[in-house]
Amino acid sequence: MAIGLPKDFEPAKVEKIYEGINALARRHKVAIVGGETTTSPERIFISISLIGFVPRGKALLRSGAKVGDAIFVTGELGGSLAGKHLDFEPRLPRPAGWRSISPFTR
């Protein structure tokens, strides 16, 4: 979990945020591991990643969406289909012996 806070954010509010997140974690039997705290110039941000397992046949998939369901996305749709996620320039040189795991070799 990462949290970014403006410099003038009240410590009591941070404690309330963590109390709420911990309560949800307990309710859903999720362990919170690791974390990062930083400053944010304007607003608070929270980033949480979850890793786990779902019993076979119990996962909620996009293919199961029905009319009236709320679906939330960020960014533009279709980028993967256009291949934009498969074509990028690494910011650092690859080390000797590097093997690409991409389906397209360069």
Side-chain angles (χ1 to χ4, degrees):
M1 181 178 126
I3 186 167
L5 304 165
K7 290 183 179 185
D8 60 349
F9 203 78
E10 297 174 32
K13 287 184 179 180
V14 177
E15 288 179 15
K16 290 291 186 189
I17 290 169
Y18 276 101
E19 284 174 15
I21 290 171
N22 282 319
L24 286 170
R26 282 190 303 276
R27 182 189 313 168
H28 296 284
K29 299 177 183 160
V30 174
I32 297 176
V33 181
E36 181 71 30
T37 305
T38 188
T39 57
S40 176
E42 293 179 27
R43 333 185 149 92
I44 182 174
F45 72 81
I46 300 172
S47 176
I48 299 175
S49 299
L50 296 172
I51 300 173
F53 297 93
V54 178
R56 188 175 300 276
K58 297 292 184 180
L60 298 176
L61 305 175
R62 291 180 293 182
S63 60
K66 298 177 198 76
V67 173
D69 285 352
I71 300 173
F72 300 90
V73 298
T74 59
E76 295 179 21
L77 297 175
S80 293
L81 291 175
K84 83 177 194 185
H85 298 294
L86 299 174
D87 185 26
F88 67 95
E89 275 302 314
R91 292 181 295 209
L92 300 171
R94 293 182 178 163
W98 172 268
R99 291 187 55 208
S100 175
I101 60 171
S102 169
F104 303 99
T105 57
R106 299 185 209 289

